[in-house]
Amino acid sequence: MKAVVASAEKQPRRDYVLSEFEKSTGKAIQGFKVWKNPSLEVKEVSDPRPGPTDVIVEVKAAGICGSDVHFYETTSDGYILYPGLTKFPVIIGHEFAGEIVEVGAGVRDFRVGDRVTAEEMVWCGYCRACRDGYPNHCHNLEEIGFTIDGADAKYVAVPFRLCWKVESLFEHYPSSETAWEVAATTEPTCVAYNGIFERAGGFRPGAHVVIYGGGPIGLAAVALCRTAGAASITCFELSAKRRTLAAQMGADHVFDPRSVVPHQVVLDVTNGEGADLQVEAAGSPTKTIPQMERALAINGKVCVIGRAAEPVPTFFETYQVRRSQIYGSQGHSGHGTFPSVIRLMGAGRVDTSPMITARFPLTKAVDAIKFLSENRDEGKIMLRP
């Protein structure tokens, strides 16, 4: 089968000492400090075979994530931009939906023909973090498309416990093509849901919400906050096209942060009260967090979802005085997140179809990633194997 394979040279930076875990597994916990001179190639590879508890999914739609772009983009000295857990070479792709075509002998509750999407966080279920109910922070974590082979391919092998049926989307959308693509946006929508509702604890209906970044996760956050009852949603985004998408997804106020002073705008929109929830989905915390700190409502929350390979100065006095909190968020697993998001999509309460702005065949996947790298005003780009 054809697949998109990412490779890179393992050259830890001088100031980065590999841990015993990294040495024994071949993984890098902080990829941007280890992997150099990456390459992406569409190539022929062997079809995956299912283990006893795996299903084989024929991929119908796969989204390109900013993380995939950060495997392609590099620093001036050649290191990848992605800061997280990685292992190369690997077939990339972790936002997908497809049809089960084969099941392992130990698979339960799924059968050939089921239409599914899947979590990309492959949690073990037996480490302390998993047993305590924190699967996104599994000590033995694998990630589909990051450390094990992913879905930018004709087929992908997935542990059945990570799969979720998406039949309700086909009942809601008259076009099966649209249903497949919306199903493939479940993963990034769940990332936004996990940050806003699980990690940050959500908000009372009637809250003022501010979202920095109008990429797919920021756009999903807009849609989720609209259906959850936010009184006002303000979105800051550099791209004019993405600002239009944010308004389509439900934002009340949309601004280019370069043409305004964001915290002043938030105070104006909220009549001086400040924001009850602010979401960092831009991956640019050195610019966004200082603005958020100056626009906190009393008991306001900051939720950091965007990934960035840079430390951020923070003035904790502000959080103390404003009785405010900052929450870090990773992943999307557990806590009923996937079934909740699928139910919202199937009921028409959250519609992610407007964010899908371009489509490429799998054979042009590298071109698609380059295109997104050069055109950051796109929403979600879909690969159609």
Side-chain angles (χ1 to χ4, degrees), residues 86-220:
T86 37
K87 183 179 181 180
F88 297 116
V90 71
I91 298 172
I92 64 172
H94 59 276
E95 305 175 3
F96 66 97
E99 184 175 318
I100 294 176
V101 295
E102 190 175 355
V103 299
V107 170
R108 300 168 55 187
D109 302 324
F110 292 92
R111 62 185 179 182
V112 171
D114 283 344
R115 295 179 287 201
V116 299
T117 187
E119 304 168 32
E120 65 91 3
M121 312 283 284
V122 187
W123 38 271
C124 72
Y126 57 81
C127 73
R128 177 61 188 269
C130 286
R131 293 174 68 187
D132 282 351
Y134 309 130
N136 294 305
H137 308 279
C138 171
H139 298 316
N140 303 300
L141 187 68
E142 299 282 3
E143 294 193 62
I144 294 171
F146 294 86
T147 66
I148 60 175
D149 286 341
D152 287 358
K154 185 174 182 180
Y155 302 108
V156 60
V158 186
F160 84 91
R161 71 181 189 275
L162 304 181
C163 291
W164 297 93
K165 296 176 185 179
V166 292
E167 301 300 331
S168 63
L169 275 63
F170 290 85
E171 296 169 6
H172 177 71
Y173 290 97
S175 164
S176 63
E177 296 298 303
T178 301
W180 280 125
E181 291 183 345
V182 169
T185 69
T186 304
E187 192 272 348
T189 305
C190 287
V191 169
Y193 186 104
N194 180 68
I196 293 167
F197 299 107
E198 175 58 31
R199 288 295 299 120
F203 52 84
R204 294 188 178 99
H208 293 301
V209 175
V210 178
I211 296 164
Y212 285 79
I217 289 176
L219 294 173

